[in-house]
Amino acid sequence: MISSDSMRGYNDALILAVLAGGDSYGYQVEKAIRDRTGGAYSIRETTLYSTLTRLVKNGSIEAYAGEISYGRPRTYYRLTAAGRRLLAAKRKEWVQTQAVVSKFLATEE
Amino acid sequence: METLKTYLAGLFEGVPDTAATRKAKVDLLDLMTDHYHEELAEGKSEAEAIGAAITAVGSIDEVLAALEIDPRQAAKPQPSAANAIDETTAERYWQANARYALTLGAGVAFCILSIALAAAFGIDDTTIAAVMFFLALGIGVAAIITSAMGIKPQRQRIGERPLTPATKALADEKMAAYHQSYTIGLMVGILCCLFSVLPPIVMNAIANEELGAPLMIGMIALGVFYLVYVQTISNGYKRLATRPIAD
């Protein structure tokens, strides 16, 4: 299980990547992250919620009311054009980050 | 379900009730409820499902940061005129604080003095020395406990409440008026501690060296009494003078 500290800085990208696959709601996003990492990373629900809130604020995703659940409309999120651009930038950045960090950590000296 | 709501309500305790925080509560409750139902679907017991849902929540500080709410402000009750401290309550608190300062200072001084008494009476009779030591120590400890018990209800009464404008003016005035006494008290306390080296020197000179150490400790006890007393009184004024005025 990877720690929340190690993943700090990547949560935005993970959520954008999940939403790139289709609109989703909070728990579905949480579950998708857990399933796609084989349970190696479980995002905290407050981390997920605060990241979603921040992405809505910066226009990367939009929130809308979906089907009724527990007696009220469930909040769904969809990726915006700005969000797609941000995800593309995050992917490019990740390739660079990986290349840089690998220089130090990929093999034992 | 009620347990999850109660847990969430506890997390949001002290957080200002705004549309954004109400929305955050609802969305987080949905997340927790979904999690809880999935745990049940996987065959977990209700207690285990609730435990798993609560464990996955995390820290409320992240949510407050995303909503741009200062967690320190969120924890503090907002100043309101309805519960502001009036002048009578403030005067009562300062009177209680003065009694507290006296008994606390005396208590600490007696604890130190117990060593001086043991040393003074130990010259002739160790039994009397032991009795005097425990007697003074007992008085000192009792005074410290009594002082703490006496001030506690008054501190609870003023809590974190803001001040009325008149109380704020009074607190500032009291603090300024006490400044001179505070400075003198501090100086007397420090001088007593510094000059406590004199008694052993003087007693040695007049061939009565056994009394030197007890007198030195006695002077230190007096100095500490002054330091504790004036500092506690000053803290009492400062405690109110630094509070915000109610809207």
Side-chain angles (χ1 to χ4, degrees), chain B residues 6 151 170 176 192:
Chain B
T6 309
I151 195 67
L170 183 66
C192 280

Side-chain angles (χ1 to χ4, degrees), chain A residues 18-19 21-36 43 45 48 52 64 67 74-77, chain B residues 30-31 34-35 38:
Chain A
V18 170
L19 293 177
D23 296 4
S24 191
Y25 59 89
Y27 187 69
Q28 213 171 42
V29 175
E30 179 186 339
K31 197 169 175 314
I33 291 173
R34 196 167 56 237
D35 291 348
R36 280 171 71 167
I43 188 169
E45 281 158 7
L48 172 66
L52 287 168
Y64 64 94
E67 88 273 3
R74 195 191 277 282
T75 306
Y76 270 76
Y77 300 93
Chain B
D30 282 353
L31 266 168
D34 282 335
H35 196 147
E38 188 180 279

